[in-house]
Amino acid sequence: MAALHYETPLVESDLASQRAGCKVLLKLENVQNTSVYKIRGIGHRCRKVIQEGCTHLVSSSGGNAGIATAFAGRKLGVPVTVVVPESTPEVMRERIRKEKADVIVHGKVWDDANSKSLELASQPGYAHIHPFDHPDIWEGHASLIYEIKSQLNGAKPGAVIVAVGGGGLLNGIIHGLQAVNWNDVPVIAMETEGADSFAAACKAGKLVTLPDITSIAKCLGAKTVTQKSFDLTKEHPIVSCVVSDKAAVNACDKFLDDHHCLVEPACGAALAAIYEPHFLVDLQEKGRLSSSQNLDNVVCIVCGGNGISIELLLKWKRDLGLS
Ligand code: PLV
């Protein structure tokens, strides 16, 4: 059966390269089905549980994973319920409904919505579709690297930039890098202040649960990252970086100017590594990235996202003093 996701373009961006000071390639997951990379892993997982006999999918989500689950369920003919927290914007809730799924709003942040979804999913025939913490999800996201490898004709990227929420994308990217023997390609793991559970774990040397999610990048808002993400810090070169909401929103705004694509702040966190002046060069100068690392072909995963509209972007720009 045909995959639920598309192969997306990998484009060399002169404008992004000029901003970053090295050759930047953009992996445009914003043009993916459902406008976000999520469908790769979620689609793979949904298909598996349906093959195993599941008759109802239950997703807990900041929004995008729910949209991807709803899309997969509609395509595969299985009803879907998505539990989102109050912080999920109306544009995302509406998008889920358009995929014919039921939306339940529960709790303040994703972790609260997740507890509720686990309760619902305990009914017979129901399956819980976690937004980031499952090996099937990582396996599905790893397809990003297989595509990139073929699009680069096997040439190695200088680094891969990803946004980190609960760590599902990060785990999938590293799963892919390990599978193609690109064990020395560093991953730059980007988060925003107030949604920085991966950085907190790296600093503490163990998993940390944040007291609250205060960043506007709610889709990065998992209070605790997966154990797997933390374990991977011992296996693979990962540079954990935290940027402000202002830097993430500024990156969304500049990306819109440069490429005419509108993405949400969760994706802006990754783009900030390109759009914050000297960001990558500084990482090298500070020794966080090896100075011998050839930064040509830095791949930024433009993860996309539905939690954005022109109105929201203008509001955040005003609130953060960017306009
Ligand atoms: N969003 C999840 C978790 O939210 C969700 O439910 O949609 N970029 C975008 C646009 C995202 O939507 C997400 C995750 C991420 C990045 C981070 O991905 P992760 O969780 O796999 O690290 C609370």
Side-chain angles (χ1 to χ4, degrees):
M1 197 193 259
L4 292 168
H5 68 268
Y6 296 131
E7 177 172 331
T8 56
L10 178 71
V11 298
E12 183 178 339
S13 166
D14 289 340
L15 293 171
S17 302
Q18 278 164 25
R19 303 240 192 211
C22 57
K23 184 166 135 195
V24 174
L25 302 168
L26 302 171
K27 181 67 174 159
L28 295 178
E29 288 294 291
N30 57 308
V31 301
Q32 186 55 267
N33 256 337
T34 69
S35 310
V36 69
Y37 73 95
K38 290 271 176 191
I39 187 62
R40 292 178 182 270
I42 299 269
H44 184 57
R45 171 97 186 109
C46 289
R47 215 190 270 284
K48 271 195 154 178
V49 295
I50 291 169
Q51 272 162 7
E52 285 159 12
C54 146
T55 53
H56 196 119
L57 302 164
V58 182
S59 151
S60 65
S61 177
N64 288 312
I67 295 168
T69 309
F71 173 83
R74 185 169 61 77
K75 289 283 179 193
L76 301 171
V78 170
V80 178
T81 303
V82 182
V83 189
V84 296
E86 287 149 18
S87 56
T88 297
E90 186 50 38
V91 353
M92 309 271 258
R93 298 180 197 182
E94 202 38 48
R95 184 73 183 78
I96 298 168
R97 291 189 197 105
K98 278 189 186 151
E99 295 292 349
K100 312 283 179 234
D102 289 333
V103 178
I104 295 175
V105 181
H106 183 87
K108 188 170 172 240
V109 297
W110 169 80
D111 298 73
D112 306 327
N114 190 47
S115 309
K116 176 77 183 172
S117 71
L118 285 166
E119 256 174 52
L120 279 176
S122 62
Q123 300 172 74
Y126 282 47
H128 186 251
I129 306 298
H130 198 285
F132 52 81
D133 198 3
H134 196 283
D136 291 343
I137 302 275
W138 311 331
E139 204 174 288
H141 292 338
S143 61
L144 271 161
I145 294 296
Y146 311 145
E147 265 174 46
I148 291 168
K149 185 168 185 195
S150 118
Q151 289 167 321
L152 286 175
N153 294 321
K156 243 192 222 182
V160 180
I161 303 170
V162 295
V164 180
L169 177 59
L170 175 74
N171 298 352
I173 289 288
I174 295 178
H175 181 94
L177 290 172
Q178 290 178 337
V180 302
N181 273 322
W182 281 353
N183 297 301
D184 53 350
V185 173
V187 176
I188 303 177
M190 303 293 294
E191 294 176 291
T192 48
E193 286 159 9
D196 47 350
S197 46
F198 180 62
C202 293
K203 201 164 156 206
K206 58 177 185 211
L207 288 188
V208 169
T209 298
L210 302 177
D212 197 5
I213 300 299
T214 53
S215 167
I216 60 163
K218 297 299 177 207
C219 275
L220 300 186
K223 287 185 181 173
T224 323
V225 278
T226 64
Q227 181 66 45
K228 177 76 178 173
S229 312
F230 180 68
D231 294 345
L232 285 171
T233 61
K234 301 181 185 96
E235 282 177 33
H236 195 91
I238 307 176
V239 185
S240 157
C241 302
V242 180
V243 292
S244 63
D245 278 353
K246 191 171 176 171
V249 171
N250 181 54
C252 294
D253 192 40
K254 295 291 175 292
F255 184 66
L256 177 62
D257 282 349
D258 283 0
H259 297 282
H260 312 124
C261 297
L262 185 58
V263 295
E264 68 172 76
C267 177
L271 289 168
I274 309 294
Y275 283 95
E276 282 298 281
H278 313 297
F279 193 89
L280 296 173
V281 178
D282 279 357
L283 288 183
Q284 272 194 320
E285 277 175 13
K286 288 184 186 141
R288 302 201 59 211
L289 254 182
S290 158
S291 53
S292 61
Q293 184 69 38
N294 179 354
L295 279 188
D296 261 356
N297 288 344
V298 169
V299 174
C300 181
I301 308 291
V302 181
C303 45
N306 293 274
I308 190 71
S309 61
I310 288 287
E311 288 73 25
L312 274 174
L313 178 67
L314 292 176
K315 177 188 178 318
W316 283 326
K317 277 181 67 177
R318 270 195 311 275
D319 293 353
L320 294 164
L322 283 163
S323 61

